[in-house]
Amino acid sequence: MRSSVPSLRLPCSAAATQVSVFDTDDKPHEQCGVFGIIGDPDAAQMCYLGLHALQHRGQEGAGIVSSDGSALHSVTGLGLVSEVFSDASKLAPLVGSAAIGHNRYSTSGAASALANVQPFVAGYRFGQLAVAHNGNLVNYRSLRHELESKGSIFSTTSDTEVILHLIATSAARPLIARIVEACESLSGAFSLVFLTADKLIAVRDPHGFRPLVMGRRPNGAVVFASETSALDLISAEYVREVNPGEVIAVDVNDMLIATSYLLTRKPRKSCVFEHIYFSSPNSIIFGHPVHASRYNFGAALARESPAPGADIVIPVPDSGLFAALGFAGASGVPFKQGLIRSHYVGRSFIAPNQEERDLAVKLKLAPVEGILAGKSVVVIDDSIVRGTTSSKIVRLIKNEGKAREVHMRIACPPIVGSCYYGVDTPRAEELISNRLGVNELRQEIGCDSLGFLSLESMKGAFGEGRHMLCDACFTRKYPVTAPEPLAAEVGDEAED
Ligand code: SF4
């Protein structure tokens, strides 16, 4: 083994077949949230809180790596942040004033899941390096093949491991130059935080697919996070986005911030689905408040696709809430909470027959008959992916809630493309809008009318920023073509 090959602390059992897993909520799933902090005596504690605020970006694993100035310390585990760090003793080993953390959304089996929980830590000839990654590399296979042909030995099938090998085998000096050189080789989506003994480094891909923001705590600590909601929880002030293609390094000794850019420049293409569904409504994503985007989507939907004679507007909770408020505000139709979501139900079981499958939805959503009975109801949902849940919701409102009419309105355009950039979506043939037109879909769902927000109106909500959004899952116009088969199609896991 060449001395430059990193030794990863990852078991060899990490290889796993990626299976597209969907809850009965029938939503695409974000793959991960990242967090980093430096210059704080309670770095690990702040990281823990930050990961709490990013829990919606991944619920199957969490981890924190800290630096005490000379060595890295790591704790990772399966489950929610509150389960992995279930008491103070779990945070106790994570000493030091710098830390990075990661929430993982897993699509692989439990046996391999722990090995893939980030941050990953590598030991190589210049010391230790940890990384946490949100996104997906579309050229992972060719990079790995090239590295393996030069002698690199991989411990996992994670695309994030490729990044560590590229850094370790780079001849550039110093570390920042190695990271820049490695990231120049990457294609696809990457919002990264790295930690060494004395530095915290944040990098965002040139398209800026996934979000990454910078903040500062009152004590001067510098913070990076996938969303501003993580800054809010630890009283950090939002400073700005990490710009697409930007590399920001902070040294623990003098807290100086050094900024540079990758040489590769690309048009900005930030994921519009962060505003439709993924991000927390109290976050500012790509410079826009998420709750305001969703409200505007709903208002535009009311203008484009009104429901004359409707008595009430209700959201599919929780993700349809702000769009329903927007629809109600623009249409004058009263907003009501006609469905109550249970927050105490985990992943629903897959039931064998129709009646039991409906029960799985009823476990999550309860109709309020006193609000719905006899009414013409507009139901606002954020999106339809495979269409497996919408018909159950309509039956629930009609049969259990005793509504007279159900008019479904969707606060985004029909989804017709899979995502290559860090979002777990089904294959194109599984997307119901690839198979059915709007009227056929209305019949399939069983609602009285169905309307989608147009692409123009959705993007119009961002003003001048509308040209800087990735909308490939609605248009199939991919900013980065995938030169290699999607990992899911060939049975490999291209990890987040
Ligand atoms: Fe987001 Fe869709 Fe683009 Fe993927 S394809 S980055 S989900 S807008």
Side-chain angles (χ1 to χ4, degrees), residues 28 189 209-210 269-274 276 278 415 417-425 458 469-474 477-479:
F209 282 111
R210 309 253 70 84
K269 290 293 174 189
S270 298
C271 173
V272 72
F273 232 101
E274 293 283 351
I276 294 166
F278 299 139
I415 297 172
S418 299
C419 179
Y420 297 168
Y421 315 127
V423 174
D424 182 34
T425 48
M458 180 184 72
L469 297 167
C470 175
D471 56 18
C473 45
F474 306 111
K477 292 177 182 168
Y478 291 97

PDB file of all heavy atoms in Angstrom, residues 28 189 209-210 269-274 276 278 415 417-425 458 469-474 477-479, ligand 1:
ATOM      1  N   PRO A  28     -40.136  12.786  -2.170  1.00  0.00           N
ATOM      2  CA  PRO A  28     -38.707  12.558  -2.339  1.00  0.00           C
ATOM      3  C   PRO A  28     -38.019  12.849  -1.015  1.00  0.00           C
ATOM      4  O   PRO A  28     -38.543  13.596  -0.189  1.00  0.00           O
ATOM      5  CB  PRO A  28     -38.302  13.584  -3.405  1.00  0.00           C
ATOM      6  CG  PRO A  28     -39.364  14.609  -3.384  1.00  0.00           C
ATOM      7  CD  PRO A  28     -40.611  13.975  -2.863  1.00  0.00           C
ATOM      8  N   ALA A 189     -23.260  17.255  -7.096  1.00  0.00           N
ATOM      9  CA  ALA A 189     -23.640  18.119  -5.971  1.00  0.00           C
ATOM     10  C   ALA A 189     -22.782  17.813  -4.753  1.00  0.00           C
ATOM     11  O   ALA A 189     -22.675  16.653  -4.347  1.00  0.00           O
ATOM     12  CB  ALA A 189     -25.111  17.902  -5.634  1.00  0.00           C
ATOM     13  N   PHE A 209     -25.879  23.354  -5.880  1.00  0.00           N
ATOM     14  CA  PHE A 209     -27.113  22.568  -5.829  1.00  0.00           C
ATOM     15  C   PHE A 209     -27.740  22.560  -4.433  1.00  0.00           C
ATOM     16  O   PHE A 209     -28.907  22.865  -4.252  1.00  0.00           O
ATOM     17  CB  PHE A 209     -26.837  21.112  -6.243  1.00  0.00           C
ATOM     18  CG  PHE A 209     -26.710  20.893  -7.712  1.00  0.00           C
ATOM     19  CD1 PHE A 209     -25.498  20.568  -8.277  1.00  0.00           C
ATOM     20  CD2 PHE A 209     -27.819  21.013  -8.534  1.00  0.00           C
ATOM     21  CE1 PHE A 209     -25.385  20.353  -9.635  1.00  0.00           C
ATOM     22  CE2 PHE A 209     -27.720  20.802  -9.896  1.00  0.00           C
ATOM     23  CZ  PHE A 209     -26.483  20.465 -10.453  1.00  0.00           C
ATOM     24  N   ARG A 210     -26.944  22.131  -3.458  1.00  0.00           N
ATOM     25  CA  ARG A 210     -27.471  21.984  -2.103  1.00  0.00           C
ATOM     26  C   ARG A 210     -27.072  23.217  -1.290  1.00  0.00           C
ATOM     27  O   ARG A 210     -26.038  23.848  -1.549  1.00  0.00           O
ATOM     28  CB  ARG A 210     -26.926  20.706  -1.444  1.00  0.00           C
ATOM     29  CG  ARG A 210     -27.092  19.452  -2.277  1.00  0.00           C
ATOM     30  CD  ARG A 210     -28.175  18.548  -1.715  1.00  0.00           C
ATOM     31  NE  ARG A 210     -29.501  19.066  -1.864  1.00  0.00           N
ATOM     32  CZ  ARG A 210     -30.274  18.942  -2.979  1.00  0.00           C
ATOM     33  NH1 ARG A 210     -29.836  18.283  -4.017  1.00  0.00           N
ATOM     34  NH2 ARG A 210     -31.469  19.455  -3.020  1.00  0.00           N
ATOM     35  N   LYS A 269     -27.270  26.683 -10.101  1.00  0.00           N
ATOM     36  CA  LYS A 269     -28.464  25.849 -10.270  1.00  0.00           C
ATOM     37  C   LYS A 269     -28.845  25.241  -8.919  1.00  0.00           C
ATOM     38  O   LYS A 269     -28.611  24.062  -8.660  1.00  0.00           O
ATOM     39  CB  LYS A 269     -28.196  24.739 -11.304  1.00  0.00           C
ATOM     40  CG  LYS A 269     -28.053  25.251 -12.732  1.00  0.00           C
ATOM     41  CD  LYS A 269     -29.362  25.814 -13.270  1.00  0.00           C
ATOM     42  CE  LYS A 269     -29.204  26.455 -14.632  1.00  0.00           C
ATOM     43  NZ  LYS A 269     -30.433  27.189 -15.050  1.00  0.00           N
ATOM     44  N   SER A 270     -29.422  26.063  -8.080  1.00  0.00           N
ATOM     45  CA  SER A 270     -29.781  25.613  -6.733  1.00  0.00           C
ATOM     46  C   SER A 270     -31.116  24.870  -6.761  1.00  0.00           C
ATOM     47  O   SER A 270     -32.036  25.243  -7.492  1.00  0.00           O
ATOM     48  CB  SER A 270     -29.861  26.814  -5.791  1.00  0.00           C
ATOM     49  OG  SER A 270     -28.598  27.443  -5.706  1.00  0.00           O
ATOM     50  N   CYS A 271     -31.223  23.858  -5.941  1.00  0.00           N
ATOM     51  CA  CYS A 271     -32.359  22.926  -5.969  1.00  0.00           C
ATOM     52  C   CYS A 271     -33.660  23.602  -5.517  1.00  0.00           C
ATOM     53  O   CYS A 271     -33.813  23.950  -4.343  1.00  0.00           O
ATOM     54  CB  CYS A 271     -32.065  21.738  -5.061  1.00  0.00           C
ATOM     55  SG  CYS A 271     -33.469  20.631  -4.846  1.00  0.00           S
ATOM     56  N   VAL A 272     -34.598  23.741  -6.439  1.00  0.00           N
ATOM     57  CA  VAL A 272     -35.858  24.406  -6.088  1.00  0.00           C
ATOM     58  C   VAL A 272     -36.671  23.561  -5.106  1.00  0.00           C
ATOM     59  O   VAL A 272     -37.518  24.082  -4.373  1.00  0.00           O
ATOM     60  CB  VAL A 272     -36.668  24.732  -7.370  1.00  0.00           C
ATOM     61  CG1 VAL A 272     -37.255  23.469  -7.992  1.00  0.00           C
ATOM     62  CG2 VAL A 272     -37.771  25.751  -7.073  1.00  0.00           C
ATOM     63  N   PHE A 273     -36.399  22.260  -5.070  1.00  0.00           N
ATOM     64  CA  PHE A 273     -37.169  21.407  -4.167  1.00  0.00           C
ATOM     65  C   PHE A 273     -36.870  21.696  -2.693  1.00  0.00           C
ATOM     66  O   PHE A 273     -37.662  21.354  -1.811  1.00  0.00           O
ATOM     67  CB  PHE A 273     -36.915  19.923  -4.474  1.00  0.00           C
ATOM     68  CG  PHE A 273     -38.181  19.148  -4.674  1.00  0.00           C
ATOM     69  CD1 PHE A 273     -38.630  18.834  -5.932  1.00  0.00           C
ATOM     70  CD2 PHE A 273     -38.951  18.777  -3.594  1.00  0.00           C
ATOM     71  CE1 PHE A 273     -39.826  18.150  -6.114  1.00  0.00           C
ATOM     72  CE2 PHE A 273     -40.145  18.092  -3.753  1.00  0.00           C
ATOM     73  CZ  PHE A 273     -40.580  17.778  -5.024  1.00  0.00           C
ATOM     74  N   GLU A 274     -35.734  22.361  -2.423  1.00  0.00           N
ATOM     75  CA  GLU A 274     -35.481  22.792  -1.045  1.00  0.00           C
ATOM     76  C   GLU A 274     -36.615  23.710  -0.588  1.00  0.00           C
ATOM     77  O   GLU A 274     -37.010  23.689   0.575  1.00  0.00           O
ATOM     78  CB  GLU A 274     -34.136  23.521  -0.954  1.00  0.00           C
ATOM     79  CG  GLU A 274     -32.918  22.646  -1.213  1.00  0.00           C
ATOM     80  CD  GLU A 274     -32.541  21.757  -0.028  1.00  0.00           C
ATOM     81  OE1 GLU A 274     -33.108  21.933   1.058  1.00  0.00           O
ATOM     82  OE2 GLU A 274     -31.670  20.880  -0.219  1.00  0.00           O
ATOM     83  N   ILE A 276     -39.717  23.768  -2.042  1.00  0.00           N
ATOM     84  CA  ILE A 276     -41.019  23.105  -2.155  1.00  0.00           C
ATOM     85  C   ILE A 276     -41.287  22.225  -0.936  1.00  0.00           C
ATOM     86  O   ILE A 276     -42.382  22.231  -0.366  1.00  0.00           O
ATOM     87  CB  ILE A 276     -41.063  22.243  -3.443  1.00  0.00           C
ATOM     88  CG1 ILE A 276     -40.987  23.152  -4.675  1.00  0.00           C
ATOM     89  CG2 ILE A 276     -42.325  21.373  -3.491  1.00  0.00           C
ATOM     90  CD1 ILE A 276     -40.693  22.403  -5.964  1.00  0.00           C
ATOM     91  N   PHE A 278     -38.122  20.206   1.069  1.00  0.00           N
ATOM     92  CA  PHE A 278     -37.079  19.710   1.969  1.00  0.00           C
ATOM     93  C   PHE A 278     -36.807  20.599   3.164  1.00  0.00           C
ATOM     94  O   PHE A 278     -36.749  20.153   4.309  1.00  0.00           O
ATOM     95  CB  PHE A 278     -35.752  19.532   1.224  1.00  0.00           C
ATOM     96  CG  PHE A 278     -35.814  18.551   0.110  1.00  0.00           C
ATOM     97  CD1 PHE A 278     -35.170  18.803  -1.091  1.00  0.00           C
ATOM     98  CD2 PHE A 278     -36.510  17.369   0.240  1.00  0.00           C
ATOM     99  CE1 PHE A 278     -35.225  17.908  -2.126  1.00  0.00           C
ATOM    100  CE2 PHE A 278     -36.569  16.461  -0.783  1.00  0.00           C
ATOM    101  CZ  PHE A 278     -35.924  16.740  -1.977  1.00  0.00           C
ATOM    102  N   ILE A 415     -43.941  16.130 -11.391  1.00  0.00           N
ATOM    103  CA  ILE A 415     -42.549  15.637 -11.336  1.00  0.00           C
ATOM    104  C   ILE A 415     -42.375  14.554 -12.389  1.00  0.00           C
ATOM    105  O   ILE A 415     -43.072  13.540 -12.380  1.00  0.00           O
ATOM    106  CB  ILE A 415     -42.236  15.082  -9.930  1.00  0.00           C
ATOM    107  CG1 ILE A 415     -42.349  16.200  -8.896  1.00  0.00           C
ATOM    108  CG2 ILE A 415     -40.837  14.465  -9.886  1.00  0.00           C
ATOM    109  CD1 ILE A 415     -42.241  15.712  -7.459  1.00  0.00           C
ATOM    110  N   GLY A 417     -38.892  13.811 -13.684  1.00  0.00           N
ATOM    111  CA  GLY A 417     -37.491  13.393 -13.777  1.00  0.00           C
ATOM    112  C   GLY A 417     -36.928  12.978 -12.431  1.00  0.00           C
ATOM    113  O   GLY A 417     -37.289  13.552 -11.397  1.00  0.00           O
ATOM    114  N   SER A 418     -36.049  11.962 -12.443  1.00  0.00           N
ATOM    115  CA  SER A 418     -35.348  11.573 -11.220  1.00  0.00           C
ATOM    116  C   SER A 418     -34.241  12.584 -10.944  1.00  0.00           C
ATOM    117  O   SER A 418     -33.828  13.324 -11.831  1.00  0.00           O
ATOM    118  CB  SER A 418     -34.734  10.188 -11.379  1.00  0.00           C
ATOM    119  OG  SER A 418     -35.750   9.238 -11.612  1.00  0.00           O
ATOM    120  N   CYS A 419     -33.772  12.574  -9.706  1.00  0.00           N
ATOM    121  CA  CYS A 419     -32.718  13.515  -9.311  1.00  0.00           C
ATOM    122  C   CYS A 419     -31.372  12.812  -9.245  1.00  0.00           C
ATOM    123  O   CYS A 419     -31.268  11.710  -8.717  1.00  0.00           O
ATOM    124  CB  CYS A 419     -33.042  14.109  -7.944  1.00  0.00           C
ATOM    125  SG  CYS A 419     -31.770  15.263  -7.375  1.00  0.00           S
ATOM    126  N   TYR A 420     -30.335  13.454  -9.779  1.00  0.00           N
ATOM    127  CA  TYR A 420     -28.962  12.921  -9.701  1.00  0.00           C
ATOM    128  C   TYR A 420     -28.148  13.630  -8.623  1.00  0.00           C
ATOM    129  O   TYR A 420     -26.973  13.347  -8.463  1.00  0.00           O
ATOM    130  CB  TYR A 420     -28.219  13.149 -11.027  1.00  0.00           C
ATOM    131  CG  TYR A 420     -28.759  12.470 -12.246  1.00  0.00           C
ATOM    132  CD1 TYR A 420     -28.297  12.838 -13.506  1.00  0.00           C
ATOM    133  CD2 TYR A 420     -29.697  11.453 -12.172  1.00  0.00           C
ATOM    134  CE1 TYR A 420     -28.762  12.221 -14.657  1.00  0.00           C
ATOM    135  CE2 TYR A 420     -30.173  10.828 -13.312  1.00  0.00           C
ATOM    136  CZ  TYR A 420     -29.705  11.220 -14.546  1.00  0.00           C
ATOM    137  OH  TYR A 420     -30.175  10.610 -15.690  1.00  0.00           O
ATOM    138  N   TYR A 421     -28.752  14.587  -7.932  1.00  0.00           N
ATOM    139  CA  TYR A 421     -27.938  15.521  -7.155  1.00  0.00           C
ATOM    140  C   TYR A 421     -28.205  15.480  -5.654  1.00  0.00           C
ATOM    141  O   TYR A 421     -28.242  16.500  -4.978  1.00  0.00           O
ATOM    142  CB  TYR A 421     -28.152  16.954  -7.682  1.00  0.00           C
ATOM    143  CG  TYR A 421     -28.108  17.039  -9.196  1.00  0.00           C
ATOM    144  CD1 TYR A 421     -29.136  17.625  -9.914  1.00  0.00           C
ATOM    145  CD2 TYR A 421     -27.029  16.508  -9.905  1.00  0.00           C
ATOM    146  CE1 TYR A 421     -29.097  17.693 -11.296  1.00  0.00           C
ATOM    147  CE2 TYR A 421     -26.990  16.560 -11.290  1.00  0.00           C
ATOM    148  CZ  TYR A 421     -28.034  17.152 -11.982  1.00  0.00           C
ATOM    149  OH  TYR A 421     -27.998  17.208 -13.352  1.00  0.00           O
ATOM    150  N   GLY A 422     -28.442  14.267  -5.143  1.00  0.00           N
ATOM    151  CA  GLY A 422     -28.507  14.146  -3.692  1.00  0.00           C
ATOM    152  C   GLY A 422     -29.898  14.014  -3.125  1.00  0.00           C
ATOM    153  O   GLY A 422     -30.091  14.223  -1.932  1.00  0.00           O
ATOM    154  N   VAL A 423     -30.870  13.692  -3.972  1.00  0.00           N
ATOM    155  CA  VAL A 423     -32.234  13.502  -3.494  1.00  0.00           C
ATOM    156  C   VAL A 423     -32.697  12.118  -3.917  1.00  0.00           C
ATOM    157  O   VAL A 423     -32.506  11.713  -5.075  1.00  0.00           O
ATOM    158  CB  VAL A 423     -33.181  14.571  -4.075  1.00  0.00           C
ATOM    159  CG1 VAL A 423     -34.621  14.284  -3.688  1.00  0.00           C
ATOM    160  CG2 VAL A 423     -32.766  15.942  -3.581  1.00  0.00           C
ATOM    161  N   ASP A 424     -33.287  11.398  -2.988  1.00  0.00           N
ATOM    162  CA  ASP A 424     -33.768  10.055  -3.276  1.00  0.00           C
ATOM    163  C   ASP A 424     -35.127  10.145  -3.943  1.00  0.00           C
ATOM    164  O   ASP A 424     -36.131  10.415  -3.299  1.00  0.00           O
ATOM    165  CB  ASP A 424     -33.859   9.252  -1.978  1.00  0.00           C
ATOM    166  CG  ASP A 424     -34.312   7.830  -2.237  1.00  0.00           C
ATOM    167  OD1 ASP A 424     -33.946   7.281  -3.287  1.00  0.00           O
ATOM    168  OD2 ASP A 424     -35.023   7.278  -1.385  1.00  0.00           O
ATOM    169  N   THR A 425     -35.137   9.949  -5.257  1.00  0.00           N
ATOM    170  CA  THR A 425     -36.402   9.939  -6.008  1.00  0.00           C
ATOM    171  C   THR A 425     -36.529   8.595  -6.708  1.00  0.00           C
ATOM    172  O   THR A 425     -35.524   7.953  -6.998  1.00  0.00           O
ATOM    173  CB  THR A 425     -36.436  11.059  -7.070  1.00  0.00           C
ATOM    174  OG1 THR A 425     -35.223  11.043  -7.811  1.00  0.00           O
ATOM    175  CG2 THR A 425     -36.623  12.412  -6.446  1.00  0.00           C
ATOM    176  N   MET A 458     -44.036  28.937 -10.422  1.00  0.00           N
ATOM    177  CA  MET A 458     -43.156  28.500  -9.335  1.00  0.00           C
ATOM    178  C   MET A 458     -41.850  29.284  -9.371  1.00  0.00           C
ATOM    179  O   MET A 458     -41.414  29.842  -8.364  1.00  0.00           O
ATOM    180  CB  MET A 458     -42.866  27.004  -9.463  1.00  0.00           C
ATOM    181  CG  MET A 458     -41.949  26.469  -8.378  1.00  0.00           C
ATOM    182  SD  MET A 458     -41.530  24.736  -8.622  1.00  0.00           S
ATOM    183  CE  MET A 458     -40.428  24.836 -10.026  1.00  0.00           C
ATOM    184  N   LEU A 469     -32.055  28.406 -10.628  1.00  0.00           N
ATOM    185  CA  LEU A 469     -32.606  27.234  -9.948  1.00  0.00           C
ATOM    186  C   LEU A 469     -32.485  25.983 -10.802  1.00  0.00           C
ATOM    187  O   LEU A 469     -32.696  26.031 -12.014  1.00  0.00           O
ATOM    188  CB  LEU A 469     -34.091  27.472  -9.634  1.00  0.00           C
ATOM    189  CG  LEU A 469     -34.400  28.616  -8.675  1.00  0.00           C
ATOM    190  CD1 LEU A 469     -35.893  28.925  -8.707  1.00  0.00           C
ATOM    191  CD2 LEU A 469     -33.970  28.262  -7.263  1.00  0.00           C
ATOM    192  N   CYS A 470     -32.190  24.877 -10.160  1.00  0.00           N
ATOM    193  CA  CYS A 470     -32.329  23.580 -10.830  1.00  0.00           C
ATOM    194  C   CYS A 470     -33.805  23.204 -10.789  1.00  0.00           C
ATOM    195  O   CYS A 470     -34.437  23.249  -9.730  1.00  0.00           O
ATOM    196  CB  CYS A 470     -31.500  22.504 -10.121  1.00  0.00           C
ATOM    197  SG  CYS A 470     -31.763  20.855 -10.836  1.00  0.00           S
ATOM    198  N   ASP A 471     -34.349  22.856 -11.950  1.00  0.00           N
ATOM    199  CA  ASP A 471     -35.745  22.422 -12.022  1.00  0.00           C
ATOM    200  C   ASP A 471     -35.843  21.114 -12.802  1.00  0.00           C
ATOM    201  O   ASP A 471     -36.861  20.808 -13.415  1.00  0.00           O
ATOM    202  CB  ASP A 471     -36.625  23.500 -12.671  1.00  0.00           C
ATOM    203  CG  ASP A 471     -36.126  23.901 -14.051  1.00  0.00           C
ATOM    204  OD1 ASP A 471     -35.344  23.148 -14.662  1.00  0.00           O
ATOM    205  OD2 ASP A 471     -36.519  24.983 -14.530  1.00  0.00           O
ATOM    206  N   ALA A 472     -34.740  20.349 -12.798  1.00  0.00           N
ATOM    207  CA  ALA A 472     -34.642  19.181 -13.681  1.00  0.00           C
ATOM    208  C   ALA A 472     -35.707  18.132 -13.407  1.00  0.00           C
ATOM    209  O   ALA A 472     -36.093  17.397 -14.326  1.00  0.00           O
ATOM    210  CB  ALA A 472     -33.253  18.559 -13.569  1.00  0.00           C
ATOM    211  N   CYS A 473     -36.193  18.028 -12.173  1.00  0.00           N
ATOM    212  CA  CYS A 473     -37.199  16.993 -11.930  1.00  0.00           C
ATOM    213  C   CYS A 473     -38.560  17.391 -12.510  1.00  0.00           C
ATOM    214  O   CYS A 473     -39.462  16.558 -12.574  1.00  0.00           O
ATOM    215  CB  CYS A 473     -37.289  16.622 -10.452  1.00  0.00           C
ATOM    216  SG  CYS A 473     -37.318  17.975  -9.323  1.00  0.00           S
ATOM    217  N   PHE A 474     -38.683  18.635 -12.982  1.00  0.00           N
ATOM    218  CA  PHE A 474     -39.916  19.061 -13.662  1.00  0.00           C
ATOM    219  C   PHE A 474     -39.716  19.181 -15.173  1.00  0.00           C
ATOM    220  O   PHE A 474     -40.679  19.200 -15.937  1.00  0.00           O
ATOM    221  CB  PHE A 474     -40.383  20.411 -13.115  1.00  0.00           C
ATOM    222  CG  PHE A 474     -40.532  20.425 -11.625  1.00  0.00           C
ATOM    223  CD1 PHE A 474     -39.673  21.171 -10.836  1.00  0.00           C
ATOM    224  CD2 PHE A 474     -41.509  19.668 -10.995  1.00  0.00           C
ATOM    225  CE1 PHE A 474     -39.785  21.164  -9.456  1.00  0.00           C
ATOM    226  CE2 PHE A 474     -41.631  19.657  -9.621  1.00  0.00           C
ATOM    227  CZ  PHE A 474     -40.775  20.409  -8.844  1.00  0.00           C
ATOM    228  N   LYS A 477     -34.277  18.883 -17.762  1.00  0.00           N
ATOM    229  CA  LYS A 477     -33.111  19.636 -18.252  1.00  0.00           C
ATOM    230  C   LYS A 477     -32.054  19.608 -17.158  1.00  0.00           C
ATOM    231  O   LYS A 477     -32.063  20.458 -16.252  1.00  0.00           O
ATOM    232  CB  LYS A 477     -33.504  21.072 -18.599  1.00  0.00           C
ATOM    233  CG  LYS A 477     -34.424  21.150 -19.796  1.00  0.00           C
ATOM    234  CD  LYS A 477     -34.858  22.582 -20.063  1.00  0.00           C
ATOM    235  CE  LYS A 477     -35.815  22.635 -21.247  1.00  0.00           C
ATOM    236  NZ  LYS A 477     -36.474  23.956 -21.368  1.00  0.00           N
ATOM    237  N   TYR A 478     -31.165  18.635 -17.221  1.00  0.00           N
ATOM    238  CA  TYR A 478     -30.204  18.410 -16.142  1.00  0.00           C
ATOM    239  C   TYR A 478     -28.980  19.309 -16.306  1.00  0.00           C
ATOM    240  O   TYR A 478     -28.337  19.280 -17.361  1.00  0.00           O
ATOM    241  CB  TYR A 478     -29.778  16.938 -16.113  1.00  0.00           C
ATOM    242  CG  TYR A 478     -30.900  16.031 -15.664  1.00  0.00           C
ATOM    243  CD1 TYR A 478     -31.690  15.359 -16.584  1.00  0.00           C
ATOM    244  CD2 TYR A 478     -31.182  15.883 -14.322  1.00  0.00           C
ATOM    245  CE1 TYR A 478     -32.739  14.546 -16.169  1.00  0.00           C
ATOM    246  CE2 TYR A 478     -32.221  15.065 -13.888  1.00  0.00           C
ATOM    247  CZ  TYR A 478     -32.998  14.401 -14.822  1.00  0.00           C
ATOM    248  OH  TYR A 478     -34.031  13.605 -14.398  1.00  0.00           O
ATOM    249  N   PRO A 479     -28.654  20.094 -15.287  1.00  0.00           N
ATOM    250  CA  PRO A 479     -27.475  20.967 -15.378  1.00  0.00           C
ATOM    251  C   PRO A 479     -26.181  20.184 -15.542  1.00  0.00           C
ATOM    252  O   PRO A 479     -25.258  20.638 -16.187  1.00  0.00           O
ATOM    253  CB  PRO A 479     -27.480  21.709 -14.027  1.00  0.00           C
ATOM    254  CG  PRO A 479     -28.868  21.605 -13.525  1.00  0.00           C
ATOM    255  CD  PRO A 479     -29.390  20.296 -14.038  1.00  0.00           C
TER     256      PRO A 479
HETATM  257 FE1  SF4 B   1     -33.608  19.509  -6.786  1.00  0.00          FE
HETATM  258 FE2  SF4 B   1     -35.058  18.288  -8.669  1.00  0.00          FE
HETATM  259 FE3  SF4 B   1     -32.736  19.473  -9.326  1.00  0.00          FE
HETATM  260 FE4  SF4 B   1     -32.743  17.247  -7.845  1.00  0.00          FE
HETATM  261  S1  SF4 B   1     -33.433  17.437 -10.002  1.00  0.00           S
HETATM  262  S2  SF4 B   1     -31.507  19.092  -7.469  1.00  0.00           S
HETATM  263  S3  SF4 B   1     -34.631  17.507  -6.588  1.00  0.00           S
HETATM  264  S4  SF4 B   1     -34.640  20.483  -8.546  1.00  0.00           S
END
